[in-house]
Amino acid sequence: MQTCYFPNLIVRAIDAAQPFDLEAKSYEHFEKSTRLKIGIVGFGNFGQFLAKTLLKQGHTVLAYSRSDYSDVARELGVSFFPDPNDLCEEHPEVILLCSSIVSTKAVLQSIPFQRLKRSTLFVDVLSVKEFPRDLFLKVLPPEFDILCTHPMFGPESGRDGWQGLNFVYEKVRIGIEESRINRCDRFLNIFAQEGCNMKEMSCGEHDRHAAESQFITHVMGRTLEKFGVESTPINTKGYESLLDLVSNTSGDSFELFYGLFIYNKNSLEQLERLDMAFESVKKLLFGKTHNVVREQLFPKE
Amino acid sequence: MQTCYFPNLIVRAIDAAQPFDLEAKSYEHFEKSTRLKIGIVGFGNFGQFLAKTLLKQGHTVLAYSRSDYSDVARELGVSFFPDPNDLCEEHPEVILLCSSIVSTKAVLQSIPFQRLKRSTLFVDVLSVKEFPRDLFLKVLPPEFDILCTHPMFGPESGRDGWQGLNFVYEKVRIGIEESRINRCDRFLNIFAQEGCNMKEMSCGEHDRHAAESQFITHVMGRTLEKFGVESTPINTKGYESLLDLVSNTSGDSFELFYGLFIYNKNSLEQLERLDMAFESVKKLLFGKTHNVVREQLFPKE
């Protein structure tokens, strides 16, 4: 660009810059109003996985875990507190429980609730939902808000982003004040913004569906893993989907698998149904074989 | 195009057209030399499926079946013979056996071999391979050539073309004359031309791999079908692969499934292995539950 000089013109005010500055300020205000201070309790695999996206979106993330994750927290940009009292004294607006299913009760009971603001929002991300809902309602002081959620993906399936992946939630107990309603929505918006399919659903309905689908998927995946499926030189398309299944479930811990079984009251019935289905397929094969042999032994005239 | 008249110019020879004509003739000769006259014996679902591609490639297709498929044959452009004697008297170069596994023996024995040329190539496309190999070697006159194949796809998985799909074969008995070697290669080329992965493999090796992969895929697909898996509002990626599996295997007949079981000597062992894998997964879940209850009853000090 060419610069022109008008020696008679003197700049007397910088008002031209003002609207730009106002815009920046208003944007900053907006940003602040959507940002949350989130305390993650339980900072294992899944907690760290969620933290990355929370940080990317500009939220402040604190973490406490019974194991020492201070190194990984430092690398991510998360403040790590070895003492839950210190985390709670930071007054996070949200406590995000990221423990495994089987350790949830012990972890929850280790939180000094009295050091938190009475309006804190408690959120869980477990793969079962009735169990944490009942536990929260029983253990948490009545002033605390409760949101039960299940992001139906993990570090493996959500590696390339969360677009199109299911996020189930129930607003179990959210105070009627606008600020509380707004805070819960801001938290949910973290997942909506990443493109998740947001599914509002009761914890009971979730558990019924999940026992039929997610638990049975894990049973199949683990059975095939024990069987030892391996790529052959002559895979069919159907067999490729078995191999996919194993790679999809084999990364998860036995603890998660057991949690899906014992903390979801619907799982046992579904396992029994699968057992019966497998038995009936075997019976079809052996029954037909039996008939063939009998027809050879006792031919009809 | 504009036509010009030059009244003084008289065409005295058509030599200008000759090279073109020669080219056409040589192409015709080439086409003829790659085209085969193929008699399909057993003209059900799979025979019709293969016939479409054979016809597309310019081969002549004849068919015989115990059921009357004359209407569907006419629509496709296949000559249908209700009497196998008539089909054989047409002297097809290749007899392509497309019966189901369980009816193969009866269908083969119904063919009047004496009406065929003694050099005929017999091909099967069954999903088991040792059984038809042994049957062909035992039943067919020794002059006939034998090629055992398994196109590892069907009307469902091969609907959008055969590109990248596996085609397994063993040249069980091909005469040493160049014409016989050439004919076998021309037949195999039908599948190579469509983009199949051509896998030369002994019938025994095929059956070992197939029992581990294809048969187990069918067992899983049928078990899930009996279980009644259905799309839920909260499918995970793993569960989607279970649904894919069912849609991939549910179209196949029980007859095929039973054939994979009883005509492949490796299948029973693989079924037993899968059974043990499933039992051990259940034992893990119930064993852990048992331990949890015992620890509550008899706590360690």
Side-chain angles (χ1 to χ4, degrees), chain A residues 154-195:
Chain A
E156 187 56 34
S157 53
R159 197 181 39 209
D160 306 323
W162 303 353
Q163 184 73 39
L165 298 169
N166 288 329
F167 182 91
V168 179
Y169 64 96
E170 182 182 358
K171 296 176 182 176
V172 174
R173 186 174 73 198
I174 306 293
I176 52 164
E177 295 91 333
E178 209 189 306
S179 64
R180 288 179 169 233
I181 292 169
N182 181 263
R183 180 181 54 187
C184 176
D185 288 345
R186 278 187 286 153
F187 182 82
L188 289 172
N189 198 44
I190 292 168
F191 297 89
Q193 211 175 307
E194 297 294 319

Side-chain angles (χ1 to χ4, degrees), chain B residues 23 28 39 142 176 184 189 261 271 276 278:
Chain B
E23 214 175 83
E28 199 181 85
I176 51 163
C184 176
N189 198 43
F261 174 61
L271 184 63
M276 284 190 287
F278 185 45

Side-chain angles (χ1 to χ4, degrees), chain B:
Chain B
M1 239 201 318
Q2 208 184 332
T3 315
C4 300
Y5 289 99
F6 298 94
N8 291 344
L9 274 175
I10 296 160
V11 174
R12 294 197 189 272
I14 55 159
D15 46 11
Q18 243 184 17
F20 176 73
D21 192 44
L22 269 177
E23 214 175 83
K25 274 200 176 149
S26 123
Y27 181 70
E28 199 181 85
H29 178 74
F30 170 77
E31 276 282 281
K32 242 188 204 151
S33 71
T34 61
R35 275 181 194 159
L36 290 164
K37 190 178 195 177
I38 301 169
I40 296 182
V41 172
F43 201 57
N45 205 15
F46 198 71
Q48 294 168 25
F49 168 67
L50 290 180
K52 284 172 200 157
T53 300
L54 301 179
L55 291 162
K56 191 190 75 183
Q57 291 194 8
H59 303 286
T60 303
V61 180
L62 324 171
Y64 155 69
S65 223
R66 292 180 297 181
S67 314
D68 179 17
Y69 287 114
S70 47
D71 285 351
V72 58
R74 198 179 310 115
E75 263 175 52
L76 289 172
V78 167
S79 315
F80 188 79
F81 299 86
D83 183 333
N85 288 286
D86 295 326
L87 178 102
C88 291
E89 284 176 0
E90 294 289 324
H91 285 174
E93 297 160 88
V94 179
I95 291 286
L96 182 57
L97 211 70
C98 290
S99 55
S100 72
I101 302 174
V102 296
S103 65
T104 294
K105 196 177 173 188
V107 170
L108 188 67
Q109 286 172 335
S110 74
I111 301 173
F113 304 131
Q114 73 283 4
R115 308 216 186 288
L116 288 165
K117 279 201 178 174
R118 284 165 304 151
S119 67
T120 311
L121 168 64
F122 268 74
V123 183
D124 88 294
V125 290
L126 297 186
S127 300
V128 293
K129 295 269 55 67
E130 287 188 298
F131 160 68
R133 180 199 60 194
D134 295 348
L135 185 72
F136 276 5
L137 286 169
K138 194 178 150 205
V139 173
L140 290 180
E143 306 86 20
F144 288 179
D145 283 357
I146 299 173
L147 174 67
C148 285
T149 83
H150 181 199
M152 300 194 70
F153 48 91
E156 186 58 33
S157 52
R159 197 181 41 208
D160 306 323
W162 303 351
Q163 183 72 42
L165 297 170
N166 288 330
F167 182 90
V168 179
Y169 65 97
E170 181 181 358
K171 296 175 181 177
V172 173
R173 185 174 74 199
I174 306 294
I176 51 163
E177 295 92 334
E178 209 189 308
S179 64
R180 288 179 170 233
I181 292 168
N182 183 262
R183 180 182 52 187
C184 176
D185 289 343
R186 279 187 288 152
F187 182 83
L188 289 172
N189 198 43
I190 293 169
F191 297 89
Q193 210 174 308
E194 297 293 321
C196 289
N197 293 329
M198 306 300 286
K199 310 251 178 176
E200 190 164 9
M201 182 182 292
S202 75
C203 291
E205 198 186 345
H206 168 277
D207 281 3
R208 279 193 301 279
H209 286 310
E212 266 181 60
S213 60
Q214 202 190 9
F215 173 62
I216 290 302
T217 306
H218 278 258
V219 173
M220 286 304 222
R222 290 204 169 247
T223 298
L224 290 169
E225 201 186 349
K226 282 237 173 267
F227 176 83
V229 288
E230 273 172 20
S231 190
T232 73
I234 53 170
N235 297 347
T236 54
K237 281 193 175 183
Y239 190 62
E240 297 275 359
S241 61
L242 289 194
L243 294 173
D244 284 354
L245 180 63
V246 173
S247 74
N248 206 295
T249 51
S250 65
D252 293 316
S253 64
F254 177 71
E255 211 177 22
L256 169 64
F257 180 47
Y258 182 68
L260 295 177
F261 174 61
I262 208 77
Y263 288 85
N264 184 335
K265 67 181 182 201
N266 311 282
S267 289
L268 182 59
E269 187 193 331
Q270 297 304 327
L271 184 63
E272 281 166 354
R273 280 186 55 218
L274 185 65
D275 202 359
M276 284 190 287
F278 185 45
E279 287 302 317
S280 82
V281 169
K282 284 191 292 178
K283 269 181 200 153
L284 277 176
L285 292 176
F286 292 124
K288 167 104 179 165
T289 310
H290 188 82
N291 284 344
V292 169
V293 172
R294 282 187 64 81
E295 275 166 27
Q296 283 166 0
L297 285 171
F298 313 109
K300 289 165 199 146
E301 56 273 31

